[in-house]
Amino acid sequence: ALGDGGPLLFDCRSEEDYDEGHISGATLLPLQQLSLSVDQLRSAANDHIVFYCRSGRRSGAVTEYLRTTGFARCQSLEGGWEEWCAQQA
């Protein structure tokens, strides 16, 4: 399961959304800061990385971009935060 020693988990929503609620173990990495953070993420390029946003649209764009820059095991959480919350109910 996510957040229990599995993949690295990043929330690419805004800080406000993150503060209102996020998946346990997720690190905030707003989409606007991604280009500044790619070099810092480079050491994890071979790790399993999962991004999520509200619905999966932004995180899908993030993972498409990162895959083109060498992050082969990067993926988007399908359905995003909304789907994850629905499954926890």
Side-chain angles (χ1 to χ4, degrees):
L2 295 175
D4 62 2
L8 298 173
L9 185 60
F10 291 97
D11 185 325
C12 58
R13 300 175 301 156
S14 68
E15 187 171 358
E16 293 80 19
D17 289 339
Y18 181 86
D19 288 343
E20 287 176 14
H22 57 270
I23 298 174
S24 178
T27 300
L28 177 64
L29 182 59
L31 186 59
Q32 297 83 353
Q33 297 173 15
L34 179 67
S35 60
L36 303 173
S37 304
V38 169
D39 287 340
Q40 295 168 327
L41 288 172
R42 184 64 54 199
S43 63
N46 294 317
D47 295 340
H48 185 192
I49 304 173
V50 176
F51 282 89
Y52 72 91
C53 61
R54 184 181 57 81
S55 66
R57 187 172 296 142
R58 283 172 289 178
S59 56
V62 167
T63 57
E64 290 291 318
Y65 167 72
L66 287 176
R67 284 182 187 150
T68 68
T69 64
F71 289 80
R73 299 181 62 208
C74 184
Q75 72 181 87
S76 173
L77 182 64
E78 192 171 336
W81 170 249
E82 291 178 340
E83 180 68 22
W84 187 85
C85 287
Q87 289 181 7
Q88 307 307 305

